[in-house]
Amino acid sequence: MTEKRIRLPEHGLSRSAILAEMDAARGHDVHWQQGQVFSLVFDAGDEVNELAKAAYTTFFSENGLNPTAFPSLRRFETEVVAMIGELLSGQGTTAGNMTTGGTESILMAVLTAREWARANRPKIAQPEVVLPSTAHPAFDKAAHYFGVKAVRVPVGDDFRADVDATRRAITLDTVLVVGSAPSYPHGVVDPIPELAALAQQRGILCHVDACVGGMMLPFVRRLGYPVTPFDFAVPGVTSISVDLHKYGYAAKGASVILYRNAELRRHQLFATTDWPGGIYASPTMTGTRPGGAIAAAWAVLNFLGEEGYLRIVRTVMQTTVRLRDGINAIDGLRVLGQPEMSVLAIASDKDNIYEIGDEMSVRGWHLDRQQLPPSLHLTVNYAHRDVADRFLLDLAQSVLEAREPSLRHSSNELAVKAARTATKILPGRLVSGVTGHASALFGGEAGLPQRSAAMYGMMGALPNRGDLRELVLDLLEGFTTPASK
Ligand SMILES: *Cc1c(COP(=O)(O)O)cnc(C)c1O
């Protein structure tokens, strides 16, 4: 393979050439503007986006690392954190920070639990976090980064955390119990009051991951839909993560990590006093903190206010109900569990759901594929208010299409069979290579699979998850290496 090495252009290009090239590059991206993309983009309309952009660019150069240099950002951050604290029944006693996203918020929650344990449970050598199988992978990442053990507990038939199983998984080394409000895969809210009570009885911490739900559920509840209690009103909940760049409709790079009180948050903070560069203190993972994301979040929260969010959430819930009922009305399809807001998973008892997903891709819909059990994922937001009917029509069509015996389906099945056979006769590392190549064959640009059914079939055929992990790391390596033109 001849790789083209990319280096700085010797002479700078013109502004217009650069912008034209970037515009052309965007042409290959998913077109979220038409409301056919789920989960990656949250869009509350032009007015909100324009304001967020204006606020972002106004604070484009400012750095949230030093609040004494930029009291403006300090004010925006503390006000955003305070507003979210009030929204989540914080009673004015919560403390927290803005972070760059849900992952960083969760990293902070796990770090804080570890540091809390070091201070309060010094005998624990290997702290453990107990969490449902559906909790976000950011917790595994946090456990991996911070030397904490993640103990995953299977969920019940309703896809919610299993309280008894959680109780049994808690040991003397457990420092943190996690629940999601709602879980990303199925949109169901874990039984937070019961989970938090378990933690409280044992005198340990309880984190609620409301990354996707924190800006929805308080309004969903106010609109009269039933919502499982999940916030600081629940005794025993000690921290909550809430993403503003999801249903807060803020600019990307904005989330909040909140603690029940400042004493707990103290364990999150970092300071060193011996550096020749001066005394250095930082509240979260990052050093330099982009002012734009903080300013844009503040602007959007103040622009929409309670009324604005209520209006948006009402529309989102109406759209969700239409979609949910429409999906359940399609022969063979059903929504998994009882989603409490606008995140849901579609499964099929009759057909290959990944084939259906591929048919939806052909029709321009960008849906995530899920496993255990196989399903397609929907994160309904304001951008989808006018597309529900078209979505349902295309979905019904896709089911029929996927059911048709066609050449492609049988070649998919052949590929899966070939992978199965290969995995029986080849050593693990080689299998990864073979499967990697096979997935590239099915892929479009940069190995990104356009038709995923065969790939998911093959992944399912790999005899152990270690092989699968290697394969995924191969793909990740590919994605973070310049594509040969
Ligand atoms: C999105 C999400 C996260 C991670 O947030 P990022 O902003 O992608 O880092 C964590 N938990 C849940 C429930 C989420 O939906």
Side-chain angles (χ1 to χ4, degrees):
M1 218 193 291
T2 51
E3 292 280 339
K4 182 165 170 271
R5 307 233 328 241
I6 296 172
R7 53 180 78 222
L8 274 174
E10 192 177 349
H11 306 290
L13 310 178
S14 74
R15 172 195 160 96
S16 59
I18 289 168
L19 292 180
E21 183 159 348
M22 292 174 81
D23 225 38
R26 281 185 101 192
H28 303 293
D29 292 351
V30 290
H31 298 296
W32 56 269
Q33 293 86 347
Q34 277 91 53
Q36 289 193 292
V37 173
F38 292 88
S39 95
L40 292 172
V41 178
F42 292 74
D43 178 15
D46 291 344
E47 220 184 354
V48 172
N49 286 339
E50 292 308 319
L51 173 68
K53 278 183 201 170
Y56 199 104
T57 49
T58 304
F59 285 85
F60 174 78
S61 303
E62 278 73 0
N63 188 340
L65 177 60
N66 187 339
T68 60
F70 302 110
S72 56
L73 290 178
R74 175 187 173 180
R75 175 180 159 211
F76 299 154
E77 177 176 3
T78 52
E79 289 188 8
V80 165
V81 171
M83 282 189 268
I84 305 304
E86 287 302 307
L87 189 64
L88 300 177
S89 315
Q91 312 285 351
T93 60
T94 52
N97 287 93
M98 285 190 68
T99 67
T100 55
T103 299
E104 191 185 354
S105 290
I106 288 167
L107 289 171
M108 291 298 89
V110 173
L111 175 76
T112 297
R114 188 193 76 180
E115 294 301 296
W116 170 88
R118 280 185 178 168
N120 295 281
R121 301 281 189 281
K123 289 208 186 87
I124 297 181
Q126 168 73 82
E128 297 178 3
V129 179
V130 173
L131 69 169
S133 56
T134 50
H136 195 275
F139 291 98
D140 298 303
K141 203 179 197 178
H144 179 59
Y145 283 4
F146 299 139
V148 170
K149 184 175 167 198
V151 179
R152 291 274 186 175
V153 178
V155 293
D157 292 339
D158 58 359
F159 299 96
R160 302 170 82 220
D162 180 332
V163 177
D164 287 330
T166 304
R167 182 186 293 112
R168 291 194 297 272
I170 295 175
T171 70
L172 291 174
D173 291 336
T174 307
V175 300
L176 180 68
V177 175
V178 171
S180 309
S183 78
Y184 181 82
H186 313 110
V188 297
V189 178
D190 286 325
I192 302 298
E194 290 82 355
L195 294 177
L198 286 181
Q200 204 175 26
Q201 284 155 19
R202 284 159 181 80
I204 56 177
L205 305 182
C206 174
H207 180 79
V208 174
D209 179 9
C211 278
V212 74
M215 292 304 292
M216 279 289 296
L217 292 175
F219 303 107
V220 172
R221 179 167 50 204
R222 265 196 251 174
L223 290 171
Y225 297 91
V227 171
T228 303
F230 72 97
D231 63 14
F232 287 115
V234 178
V237 170
T238 51
S239 58
I240 304 181
S241 46
V242 183
D243 288 352
L244 303 178
H245 61 203
K246 290 179 182 159
Y247 287 105
Y249 300 99
K252 293 238 176 351
S255 174
V256 169
I257 174 69
L258 275 170
Y259 299 92
R260 186 174 278 279
N261 54 50
E263 198 187 329
L264 260 177
R265 197 269 300 260
R266 180 92 172 183
H267 297 288
Q268 177 195 288
L269 307 179
F270 176 81
T272 181
T273 51
D274 303 326
W275 184 43
I279 289 175
Y280 182 98
S282 149
T284 53
M285 287 282 287
T286 57
T288 291
R289 306 169 77 218
I294 297 172
W298 185 87
V300 172
L301 286 173
N302 279 293
F303 181 73
L304 288 173
E306 289 193 352
E307 213 181 359
Y309 281 108
L310 267 177
R311 177 176 52 79
I312 288 175
V313 171
R314 181 179 286 118
T315 303
V316 170
M317 288 305 289
Q318 284 163 353
T319 309
T320 304
V321 169
R322 279 233 309 288
L323 284 169
R324 183 197 63 198
D325 295 348
I327 291 161
N328 284 331
I330 295 174
D331 176 48
L333 294 188
R334 67 195 164 87
V335 168
L336 293 177
Q338 302 281 325
E340 290 186 37
M341 46 174 259
S342 45
V343 176
L344 38 97
I346 312 171
S348 174
D349 298 324
K350 285 188 173 174
D351 306 294
N352 182 333
I353 195 71
Y354 301 138
E355 300 269 11
I356 296 171
D358 286 349
E359 290 301 329
M360 288 298 276
S361 299
V362 171
R363 289 161 177 77
W365 299 95
H366 194 272
L367 301 167
D368 283 338
R369 275 68 167 166
Q370 303 195 118
Q371 56 180 353
L372 312 166
S375 61
L376 302 175
H377 190 256
L378 280 187
T379 311
V380 184
N381 71 75
Y382 197 64
H384 304 120
R385 64 197 176 281
D386 295 326
V387 301
D389 293 333
R390 194 152 52 86
F391 179 91
L392 291 169
L393 269 175
D394 281 348
L395 188 60
Q397 269 281 314
S398 295
V399 171
L400 294 180
E401 198 81 40
R403 211 168 275 173
E404 288 282 310
S406 77
L407 193 62
R408 195 189 58 254
H409 298 160
S410 31
S411 73
N412 281 354
E413 277 161 29
L414 274 178
V416 174
K417 280 210 188 94
R420 276 211 181 100
T421 315
T423 56
K424 287 193 188 111
I425 53 174
L426 294 174
R429 189 76 174 101
L430 259 178
V431 173
S432 302
V434 168
T435 322
H437 286 303
S439 73
L441 281 181
F442 280 90
E445 273 172 65
L448 235 172
Q450 264 158 4
R451 291 203 163 262
S452 64
M455 206 180 71
Y456 271 84
M458 279 188 283
M459 287 183 169
L462 286 173
N464 74 62
R465 305 308 272 182
D467 282 342
L468 181 52
R469 185 170 171 277
E470 284 296 317
L471 162 61
V472 173
L473 292 182
D474 286 351
L475 286 173
L476 187 58
E477 230 169 21
F479 290 148
T480 47
T481 307
S484 39
K485 286 198 180 167

Short mmCIF file of all heavy atoms in Angstrom, two decimals, residues 48 62 87 153 181 188 204 210-211 261-262 293 314 334 337 357 376 381-382 393 421 424 472:
data_model
loop_
_atom_site.label_atom_id
_atom_site.label_comp_id
_atom_site.label_asym_id
_atom_site.label_seq_id
_atom_site.Cartn_x
_atom_site.Cartn_y
_atom_site.Cartn_z
N VAL A 48 -31.78 28.86 17.95
CA VAL A 48 -30.93 28.40 19.05
C VAL A 48 -29.51 28.19 18.55
O VAL A 48 -28.53 28.61 19.19
CB VAL A 48 -31.50 27.10 19.66
CG1 VAL A 48 -30.53 26.51 20.68
CG2 VAL A 48 -32.85 27.37 20.31
N GLU A 62 -11.15 32.74 24.77
CA GLU A 62 -11.03 32.77 26.22
C GLU A 62 -10.80 31.37 26.78
O GLU A 62 -11.24 30.37 26.21
CB GLU A 62 -12.27 33.41 26.83
CG GLU A 62 -12.24 34.94 26.82
CD GLU A 62 -12.45 35.57 25.43
OE1 GLU A 62 -12.62 34.83 24.45
OE2 GLU A 62 -12.42 36.82 25.35
N LEU A 87 -32.54 22.58 38.83
CA LEU A 87 -33.42 21.76 37.99
C LEU A 87 -33.50 20.33 38.53
O LEU A 87 -34.52 19.67 38.40
CB LEU A 87 -32.85 21.76 36.56
CG LEU A 87 -33.70 21.15 35.46
CD1 LEU A 87 -34.98 21.94 35.26
CD2 LEU A 87 -32.89 21.12 34.14
N VAL A 153 -23.46 -5.72 36.32
CA VAL A 153 -24.56 -6.57 36.77
C VAL A 153 -25.60 -6.66 35.65
O VAL A 153 -26.00 -5.61 35.12
CB VAL A 153 -25.21 -5.97 38.05
CG1 VAL A 153 -26.39 -6.82 38.50
CG2 VAL A 153 -24.17 -5.82 39.14
N ALA A 181 -30.32 7.40 34.10
CA ALA A 181 -31.64 8.05 33.97
C ALA A 181 -31.69 8.86 32.68
O ALA A 181 -31.45 10.05 32.70
CB ALA A 181 -31.91 8.94 35.18
N VAL A 188 -34.62 3.34 29.30
CA VAL A 188 -35.39 3.10 30.53
C VAL A 188 -34.61 3.64 31.72
O VAL A 188 -33.38 3.63 31.74
CB VAL A 188 -35.69 1.60 30.73
CG1 VAL A 188 -36.57 1.07 29.60
CG2 VAL A 188 -34.40 0.78 30.82
N ILE A 204 -21.97 4.24 51.15
CA ILE A 204 -21.12 4.51 49.99
C ILE A 204 -21.84 5.46 49.03
O ILE A 204 -22.95 5.90 49.30
CB ILE A 204 -20.72 3.19 49.27
CG1 ILE A 204 -21.96 2.40 48.86
CG2 ILE A 204 -19.82 2.38 50.19
CD1 ILE A 204 -21.64 1.13 48.08
N ALA A 210 -27.29 10.90 34.26
CA ALA A 210 -28.40 11.55 33.55
C ALA A 210 -27.85 12.34 32.38
O ALA A 210 -28.37 13.41 32.02
CB ALA A 210 -29.19 12.44 34.50
N CYS A 211 -26.77 11.81 31.77
CA CYS A 211 -26.14 12.51 30.65
C CYS A 211 -27.16 12.79 29.56
O CYS A 211 -27.26 13.90 29.05
CB CYS A 211 -24.99 11.68 30.09
SG CYS A 211 -23.47 11.89 31.03
N ASN A 261 -22.96 17.92 47.64
CA ASN A 261 -22.42 19.04 48.41
C ASN A 261 -20.97 19.31 48.05
O ASN A 261 -20.31 18.50 47.38
CB ASN A 261 -22.57 18.78 49.92
CG ASN A 261 -21.94 17.45 50.30
OD1 ASN A 261 -20.79 17.18 49.94
ND2 ASN A 261 -22.67 16.63 51.04
N ALA A 262 -20.47 20.45 48.51
CA ALA A 262 -19.12 20.88 48.16
C ALA A 262 -18.06 19.97 48.76
O ALA A 262 -16.97 19.80 48.20
CB ALA A 262 -18.91 22.32 48.64
N ALA A 293 -17.53 26.83 24.63
CA ALA A 293 -18.55 25.86 25.02
C ALA A 293 -19.28 26.29 26.29
O ALA A 293 -20.49 26.11 26.44
CB ALA A 293 -17.92 24.48 25.20
N ARG A 314 -42.20 19.04 24.99
CA ARG A 314 -43.57 18.62 24.63
C ARG A 314 -43.59 18.07 23.21
O ARG A 314 -44.10 16.98 22.95
CB ARG A 314 -44.53 19.82 24.76
CG ARG A 314 -45.98 19.44 24.42
CD ARG A 314 -46.93 20.61 24.56
NE ARG A 314 -47.21 20.93 25.96
CZ ARG A 314 -46.93 22.08 26.56
NH1 ARG A 314 -46.35 23.05 25.85
NH2 ARG A 314 -47.21 22.28 27.81
N ARG A 334 -40.80 -4.30 17.52
CA ARG A 334 -41.29 -3.78 18.79
C ARG A 334 -40.22 -2.93 19.45
O ARG A 334 -39.02 -3.10 19.21
CB ARG A 334 -41.71 -4.92 19.72
CG ARG A 334 -40.59 -5.77 20.20
CD ARG A 334 -41.10 -7.07 20.80
NE ARG A 334 -40.00 -8.02 20.90
CZ ARG A 334 -39.17 -8.09 21.94
NH1 ARG A 334 -39.34 -7.31 22.98
NH2 ARG A 334 -38.18 -8.95 21.95
N GLY A 337 -38.63 -2.77 26.14
CA GLY A 337 -38.87 -2.20 27.46
C GLY A 337 -39.89 -1.06 27.43
O GLY A 337 -40.68 -0.94 26.49
N GLY A 357 -31.84 -2.34 9.41
CA GLY A 357 -31.01 -1.13 9.58
C GLY A 357 -30.31 -0.75 8.29
O GLY A 357 -30.23 0.43 7.93
N LEU A 376 -31.95 -1.62 16.85
CA LEU A 376 -31.58 -0.32 16.29
C LEU A 376 -31.93 0.74 17.33
O LEU A 376 -32.86 0.57 18.11
CB LEU A 376 -32.35 -0.04 14.99
CG LEU A 376 -32.15 -1.08 13.89
CD1 LEU A 376 -33.05 -0.75 12.69
CD2 LEU A 376 -30.69 -1.13 13.45
N ASN A 381 -35.08 13.76 18.94
CA ASN A 381 -34.97 15.11 19.48
C ASN A 381 -35.75 16.07 18.60
O ASN A 381 -36.45 15.65 17.67
CB ASN A 381 -33.50 15.52 19.68
CG ASN A 381 -32.77 15.76 18.37
OD1 ASN A 381 -32.98 16.78 17.70
ND2 ASN A 381 -31.92 14.82 17.98
N TYR A 382 -35.63 17.35 18.91
CA TYR A 382 -36.47 18.36 18.26
C TYR A 382 -36.32 18.34 16.73
O TYR A 382 -37.25 18.67 16.01
CB TYR A 382 -36.10 19.74 18.82
CG TYR A 382 -37.12 20.81 18.55
CD1 TYR A 382 -38.40 20.71 19.07
CD2 TYR A 382 -36.82 21.91 17.76
CE1 TYR A 382 -39.35 21.68 18.83
CE2 TYR A 382 -37.76 22.90 17.52
CZ TYR A 382 -39.02 22.79 18.04
OH TYR A 382 -39.95 23.75 17.80
N LEU A 393 -42.91 5.11 7.48
CA LEU A 393 -43.13 4.55 6.14
C LEU A 393 -41.89 3.80 5.67
O LEU A 393 -41.98 2.65 5.20
CB LEU A 393 -43.43 5.68 5.15
CG LEU A 393 -44.90 6.03 4.95
CD1 LEU A 393 -45.02 7.25 4.04
CD2 LEU A 393 -45.65 4.83 4.35
N THR A 421 -16.39 -20.54 9.77
CA THR A 421 -15.48 -21.62 9.44
C THR A 421 -14.06 -21.18 9.73
O THR A 421 -13.28 -21.90 10.36
CB THR A 421 -15.61 -21.99 7.95
OG1 THR A 421 -17.00 -22.05 7.65
CG2 THR A 421 -14.97 -23.32 7.67
N LYS A 424 -12.80 -21.33 13.15
CA LYS A 424 -12.53 -22.67 13.71
C LYS A 424 -11.13 -23.15 13.36
O LYS A 424 -10.57 -23.98 14.06
CB LYS A 424 -13.57 -23.66 13.17
CG LYS A 424 -14.92 -23.45 13.83
CD LYS A 424 -15.87 -24.60 13.57
CE LYS A 424 -17.26 -24.28 14.05
NZ LYS A 424 -18.21 -24.11 12.94
N VAL A 472 -11.87 -4.45 16.68
CA VAL A 472 -12.36 -3.08 16.84
C VAL A 472 -11.19 -2.12 16.98
O VAL A 472 -11.20 -1.02 16.43
CB VAL A 472 -13.32 -2.99 18.05
CG1 VAL A 472 -13.68 -1.55 18.34
CG2 VAL A 472 -14.57 -3.82 17.80
#
